[in-house]
Each structure stands twice: as structure tokens, then as C-alpha cells.
Amino acid sequence: MKNILFHKENMDLQLIKNKLNSGEIIIYPTDTVYGVGATIESLEGIEKIYKAKERNFSSPLIALVSDVKHIDKIAMVREENRELLKKLGEKFWPGGLTIILEKKDIVPGIMVSNGKTVGVRMPNLDISLEIIEAVGGIMPTTSANISGEKTPRSYEELSEKFKERVEILVDGGKSPLGLESTIIDISTSQIKILREGAIKKEEIEKVIGKF
């Protein structure tokens, strides 16, 4: 596959939008690690992510958003957890916190292992936000590596084999955090940390109390 390589100084957002809308996928930097993404409206693109990663559909992708206003398009928030989401968003977004919420029908089943929830995050990196906004503000994303291989924290760490499977590449240097996001599930009344990464549980508890 012939790659189209952009740097942050020469990104053609219209071309990126057109390519993703036609079912292509993109490797791009986020604040945590490098991700591979597609538009949420393209099942073909989402399927290509799984194929590129050699990953089965039992591992869900998360939805990166360019603005918190897009969350209502893809997720429902339990009334008792609405204030919780507000507090977490105000403190940790944009940033390294993924929040699990009950999904809406716009989220394709293959993206979330046919489950009822979706992980949502707003990255703290302008180049990421520009790309995500260009394709409608929501981008199904996961780490840009073949399953089981090291997660890339810079463009240089991307494997050549994986890059060959993606049409659009964006070199944004090193990811500022270089650590996967923390995942917290607030889709039910039982709040729980599913993965501790860039943000520690103690930091979260300072904002919403112990759980």
C-alpha cells in the first residue's frame, strides 16, 4: 500500500477527511501514544483497524472526541452519574482519562465487541483534535501497533510492518505523555477503574471521592 505521510506543518485535513470517509484508516499522534483511527461512520474503516492490528473483535476500540459536545451523540449518561462525568471532564479533559459510558446506536457493534458501552476520551494534543474534528469530531481509535507488540510512543517507534497497512500517516514527533490512558467505568452505579495509566486512582478520588 502506498502511504501518504503528513507532518503537523503540512496536514491536508480535507484530504484526510475524504480518505477516511472512503473507508481508509490513519495513524496519528495523541497525547498518550500513537493511535490508528477511522471515522465512526465507516464500518469498512473500523474493520480495517482490526485487520491491521491482527486483532479479533472481542477487544473494543475507544471513541476519541474533539470536543465534549460530541459525547451526547454517542453515549448516554445515567442521571446519577451526570455530575460525576462533569467533574471528571472538567478536571481531566483534555487529557489521559478514558470514561466508559452506555453507548447509543450510532456506535457500531463491531467497534465495541457488541457490548452496551463505549469508552470516550478527549486527547490533550492540538494535532489530534484537528484531525478528529475534521472527520466529524468522533474517531474510533486504538494503539497503532500489531496486537502483542510494543505500543508506539513516537513516530519512530511505529513498526514498518504496521505502517504498510495504513494509507495515511501523520508524524507528530513524540507523544507528550507516552503512557496509555487510565480507563474508568461509570456506565453503572458501580464505579471502577479498568486500567490505571496516565492518571492515578488517587488523583481521581481527589475529584469524585473514594469508590
Side-chain angles (χ1 to χ4, degrees):
M1 179 184 292
K2 185 178 180 181
N3 303 124
I4 301 171
L5 174 61
F6 293 114
H7 295 81
K8 53 187 175 182
E9 300 82 12
N10 71 339
M11 281 198 308
D12 185 336
L13 293 173
Q14 186 60 51
L15 178 62
I16 290 172
K17 176 183 177 179
N18 293 343
K19 288 290 186 181
L20 267 61
N21 283 342
S22 68
E24 298 299 337
I25 58 177
I26 182 173
I27 289 174
Y28 68 111
T30 78
D31 50 340
T32 54
V33 298
Y34 266 67
V36 56
T39 171
I40 197 167
E41 297 179 359
S42 173
L43 287 178
E44 181 185 359
I46 293 170
E47 288 171 352
K48 281 183 178 178
I49 291 175
Y50 282 94
K51 185 177 180 181
K53 285 184 68 72
E54 299 177 17
R55 179 180 190 172
N56 64 47
F57 291 104
S58 65
S59 299
L61 311 181
I62 68 168
L64 293 192
V65 297
S66 57
D67 192 288
V68 293
K69 68 183 180 184
H70 296 298
I71 293 174
D72 282 334
K73 298 177 186 175
I74 56 175
M76 294 176 279
V77 184
R78 297 166 65 95
E79 198 55 46
E80 64 265 35
N81 287 344
R82 192 163 288 279
E83 186 62 26
L84 193 67
L85 176 62
K86 182 181 178 183
K87 287 180 179 179
L88 289 170
E90 288 177 347
K91 176 64 177 179
F92 298 113
W93 282 351
L97 184 68
T98 297
I99 302 177
I100 305 293
L101 300 166
E102 189 176 351
K103 83 173 189 72
K104 288 185 177 177
D105 290 342
I106 188 178
V107 179
I110 64 167
M111 176 181 158
V112 292
S113 308
N114 288 315
K116 296 181 178 179
T117 60
V118 61
V120 182
R121 187 171 84 84
M122 181 181 175
N124 188 18
L125 193 67
D126 287 345
I127 190 171
S128 307
L129 298 175
E130 290 172 14
I131 293 167
I132 298 165
E133 181 64 26
V135 298
I138 305 164
M139 185 177 286
T141 298
T142 186
S143 57
N145 60 312
I146 296 170
S147 292
E149 292 187 348
K150 181 182 177 183
T151 303
R153 291 157 173 77
S154 68
Y155 186 81
E156 286 70 30
E157 290 183 12
L158 291 165
S159 78
E160 291 301 320
K161 186 177 179 180
F162 192 77
K163 286 193 291 186
E164 289 171 1
R165 301 175 179 184
V166 178
E167 185 173 19
I168 307 166
L169 308 168
V170 180
D171 181 354
K174 289 185 177 181
S175 294
L177 289 175
L179 188 66
E180 288 91 344
S181 66
T182 293
I183 303 175
I184 183 170
D185 187 342
I186 66 167
S187 64
T188 70
S189 57
Q190 183 65 49
I191 301 165
K192 52 185 178 290
I193 299 284
L194 302 184
R195 180 180 75 191
E196 190 170 285
I199 298 167
K200 302 305 177 190
K201 183 179 181 182
E202 292 76 16
E203 297 177 68
I204 296 171
E205 289 183 333
K206 286 178 183 178
V207 177
I208 63 172
K210 290 192 176 293
F211 55 91

Tab-separated table of all heavy atoms in Angstrom, residues 59 73 144 167 184:
chain	number	residue	atom	x	y	z
A	59	SER	N	-11.994	-7.183	21.355
A	59	SER	CA	-11.312	-6.059	22.016
A	59	SER	C	-11.863	-4.747	21.472
A	59	SER	O	-11.626	-4.416	20.304
A	59	SER	CB	-9.806	-6.131	21.775
A	59	SER	OG	-9.265	-7.318	22.308
A	73	LYS	N	-23.731	12.540	21.314
A	73	LYS	CA	-24.062	11.849	20.061
A	73	LYS	C	-23.854	10.344	20.175
A	73	LYS	O	-24.534	9.567	19.503
A	73	LYS	CB	-23.188	12.378	18.911
A	73	LYS	CG	-23.369	13.851	18.595
A	73	LYS	CD	-22.391	14.265	17.499
A	73	LYS	CE	-22.438	15.763	17.240
A	73	LYS	NZ	-21.410	16.187	16.258
A	144	ALA	N	-1.550	2.154	17.761
A	144	ALA	CA	-1.081	1.879	16.394
A	144	ALA	C	0.023	0.824	16.392
A	144	ALA	O	1.190	1.111	16.115
A	144	ALA	CB	-0.600	3.163	15.729
A	167	GLU	N	-3.011	3.754	5.032
A	167	GLU	CA	-2.747	4.661	3.904
A	167	GLU	C	-2.242	6.027	4.361
A	167	GLU	O	-1.383	6.619	3.726
A	167	GLU	CB	-3.997	4.856	3.053
A	167	GLU	CG	-3.701	5.705	1.822
A	167	GLU	CD	-4.863	5.788	0.845
A	167	GLU	OE1	-5.995	5.514	1.251
A	167	GLU	OE2	-4.619	6.157	-0.307
A	184	ILE	N	-11.817	4.499	33.325
A	184	ILE	CA	-12.762	4.413	34.432
A	184	ILE	C	-14.157	4.143	33.882
A	184	ILE	O	-14.574	4.758	32.903
A	184	ILE	CB	-12.754	5.698	35.300
A	184	ILE	CG1	-13.687	5.553	36.500
A	184	ILE	CG2	-13.106	6.933	34.483
A	184	ILE	CD1	-13.562	6.678	37.522
